[in-house]
Each structure stands twice: as structure tokens, then as C-alpha cells.
Amino acid sequence: MTTAYITHDLCEKHDMGEDHPEAPQRLGSIQNRLISGQVLDFLRWTDALPATREQLVATHDPVYVDSIFERAPLRDRIELDDETLMMPHTLEAALLAAGSVVQAVDMVMAKSVKNAFCCVRPPGHHAEYDRAMGFCLFNNIAVGTRHAINQYGLKRIAIVDFDVHHGNGTENIFREEPKVLYASSYQHPYYPFADPGASHDNIIHMPLAAGTGSQEFREIYIEQLLPQLEKFKPQLIMVSAGFDAHRQDPMAQIRLQDNDYGWVTEVLMDIADRHCDGRLISVLEGGYELDALGRAAFAHVKTLMRL
Ligand SMILES: [Zn+2]
């Protein structure tokens, strides 16, 4: 079975300004690397469909969702927070980004593909139940996860987040949801300043000190995450795939290398193979050094394809 690559050209039209790190070129840098690595033809290319209001309000506060629709500007830019802006193409891109994960869930559950990579922006894991934050409007992975629970009756979904930032939004949304296990590795102390002690039955915090390299990162996953995943026996694994823990990324100070992204993907696929017939859905979050982002995402996608 194949890997779906779900994306949309309109996700590149969302543009928060020349100096903004969450730049439209991020998607092109991944796609170009997949082309030069000669794997794009072997992926199931799928154009994303927009999320519906019904799918969004299953995860987010309806008042918040409606406010995003109402505030969408016809010209210029407006600020949702200091670093999260809307311009005329933002709403369309945000709906496609959230919708792509819903589609991925449908494709993986129908067994038309084994796994999927949603190459979309804006990212999602900082978006909370009722607010935009940190470049994120809708929590894409949460919208897809809720769809998997509501539509397919899944009772155990693991979300693993290896973005360098803590996914405060995903935790905020699922903190009281026993059907979801949320595990996040993140630089600490660092934005958005999660409390590493704030663990919960279904929440795993894996704080990383600035300067953490490959070996320590792998040890933490092996010692802290894998036993918990084995115990949880997920029916589906969702991955918040941010590539900003790469050593070349200017945003933070974790020192992962390209092949660490292949490694972590392989480890999660092993769990998926053992517990859920390989079902795994990966969703792009951060990653801001364009060349490193392309290479790290390539290592991730190539591993999903088992090449
Ligand atoms: Zn990040």
C-alpha cells in the first residue's frame, strides 16, 4: 500500500509578510526535495478539501470558529495575535490545512493508503479550543483526530508531536479526553513555556534542554515514549511533524540531524504496525530553515514509504 501526500496550491497563498518565518516557500522546499529525490511519483498525490464548519466546531469553540470567518479580511492583514496574521487567502488555506487531515483519516481508515503526510500550512498545534496562537488558526491534527473518534468510533488515538515547540493547543483540546494520548517533545524552557511537570494520565511531556542532540533525543523516545505507546495500544497514530528541532533551524537550539527524522518515523511506524495495521497520519507543523526543512521532511516521507 502507498503513502498519501495531501496538499494544496492555495496553502502557499497565505502570506504573513516578507520577514515572517512561517513563509509560503516552506511547502515548495519540501516538494522540491521530494521531486529531486524522485519519490513524488510514487506518492498518492491528493488535493486537500476544505474542512467544513461542522468538522471545525467538533474541536473548536463555535464562537471562535465563526469569529475567524467574520474577521477574514478582503484586503491587507489583520492580527489575531502578535505573530499570527490573516490576509485575504488565510481562511481558505486554514480550511484546507484542517480538511487535509480529515481526508487523511478517511483514506487511511478506508485502507486506500497505508499512511499519509499532510503537507499543509498554516500549521495547527498551538491553536487552542478558542484561540489562534503561534502561526496557527485551527488545530489541524486535532480536527482530524476528532473526526477519527466521531466518524469511526476509535477509542485510542496517540498523537506524537516532535516539533521543537510544545503543542499547547493539542494538549488544551485533549487534556480531558481519555481516547487520546498526547506526547510532545519540546525545547524547555522555551515558547510556549509549558510546565514539564503538568503531566496528566493521557499527557506525556518530554522536555529537552537547549543543545540536546541526536543520541539524547533517541534515548528519551525509547525510554519515555515507547513503553507508554505499547501500553496504550493505539488504533491510529497521528504525528505533529515539525522539523524545527533540526540543528540548522534558526528558531530553537535542539541539534537533530536529517536521519533522526527517519529514525523517529521508523520507530512510530513499528508501533503502528504492531498495534494498528500501520495506520499513521503525519501533519506538517513547524520547520523554518528551508533547506533543512526539505531534507528532514524528505527523510520522514521516504521512511513512511518504506523506501
Ligand atoms: Zn515549532
Side-chain angles (χ1 to χ4, degrees):
M1 281 210 289
T2 48
T3 296
Y5 178 74
I6 310 179
T7 187
H8 202 289
D9 289 349
L10 291 174
C11 287
E12 289 178 297
K13 297 240 179 185
H14 163 56
D15 185 348
M16 294 186 284
E18 220 172 285
D19 300 325
H20 201 293
E22 207 286 278
Q25 295 81 358
R26 297 175 61 236
L27 299 189
S29 73
I30 294 174
Q31 203 165 296
N32 289 341
R33 191 64 191 81
L34 296 175
I35 291 169
S36 66
Q38 300 185 320
V39 301
L40 201 62
D41 289 347
F42 301 100
L43 288 160
R44 176 84 58 83
W45 180 298
T46 306
D47 273 339
L49 296 170
T52 62
R53 182 180 181 279
E54 193 185 353
Q55 287 160 355
L56 295 172
V57 300
T59 292
H60 288 286
D61 179 2
V63 175
Y64 167 68
V65 171
D66 291 341
S67 79
I68 292 293
F69 277 80
E70 282 156 17
R71 295 183 69 184
L74 295 174
R75 66 182 72 83
D76 302 329
R77 294 189 179 97
I78 61 152
E79 277 188 6
L80 298 176
D81 76 1
D82 290 351
E83 53 206 355
T84 314
L85 297 94
M86 289 188 86
M87 44 80 75
H89 294 293
T90 301
L91 178 60
E92 202 166 28
L95 294 174
L96 290 163
S100 75
V101 192
V102 171
Q103 257 174 297
V105 167
D106 288 339
M107 291 173 83
V108 165
M109 293 308 295
K111 296 189 193 302
S112 68
V113 294
K114 184 160 187 112
N115 54 37
F117 178 61
C118 299
C119 191
V120 289
R121 56 183 288 280
H125 73 156
H126 294 305
E128 298 191 344
Y129 173 68
D130 58 3
R131 67 165 173 160
M133 184 174 156
F135 317 161
C136 305
L137 280 83
F138 301 128
N139 193 313
N140 307 322
I141 203 161
V143 171
T145 300
R146 185 55 71 189
H147 178 70
I149 292 170
N150 289 351
Q151 192 71 26
Y152 298 97
L154 296 191
K155 293 186 170 60
R156 294 182 311 280
I157 301 177
I159 304 177
V160 179
D161 185 334
F162 57 69
D163 188 279
V164 82
H165 303 96
H166 178 251
N168 59 291
T170 313
E171 179 165 324
N172 166 265
I173 288 165
F174 291 124
R175 199 166 169 79
E176 305 298 332
E177 175 50 85
K179 292 174 182 153
V180 175
L181 178 75
Y182 176 64
S184 177
S185 58
Y186 55 91
Q187 181 170 325
H188 177 78
Y190 201 53
Y191 182 89
F193 303 101
D195 173 4
S199 55
H200 202 261
D201 289 349
N202 64 328
I203 304 289
I204 302 171
H205 282 188
M206 298 183 285
L208 310 171
T212 295
S214 302
Q215 195 186 337
E216 205 181 336
F217 173 83
R218 293 184 187 203
E219 280 168 11
I220 286 169
Y221 269 68
I222 290 168
E223 287 163 17
Q224 296 181 26
L225 177 64
L226 299 189
Q228 303 254 29
L229 284 179
E230 288 289 356
K231 210 165 86 185
F232 185 67
K233 299 187 179 22
Q235 296 167 301
L236 172 66
I237 295 182
M238 311 285 290
V239 180
S240 261
F243 299 95
D244 41 10
H246 194 283
R247 61 174 55 206
Q248 286 177 304
D249 198 285
M251 195 74 89
Q253 293 81 40
I254 302 300
R255 302 183 52 75
L256 299 190
Q257 306 184 54
D258 298 354
N259 62 12
D260 291 317
Y261 292 100
W263 178 84
V264 72
T265 309
E266 186 68 53
V267 158
L268 296 175
M269 288 172 73
D270 279 350
I271 302 271
D273 281 341
R274 244 168 307 127
H275 293 289
C276 48
D277 210 11
R279 290 190 290 269
L280 185 149
I281 292 164
S282 169
V283 186
L284 181 65
E285 301 284 1
Y288 303 99
E289 205 290 318
L290 293 179
D291 195 51
L293 170 64
R295 285 185 280 114
F298 177 64
H300 176 60
V301 173
K302 210 170 85 165
T303 307
L304 289 178
M305 299 168 76
R306 295 229 191 262
L307 289 177

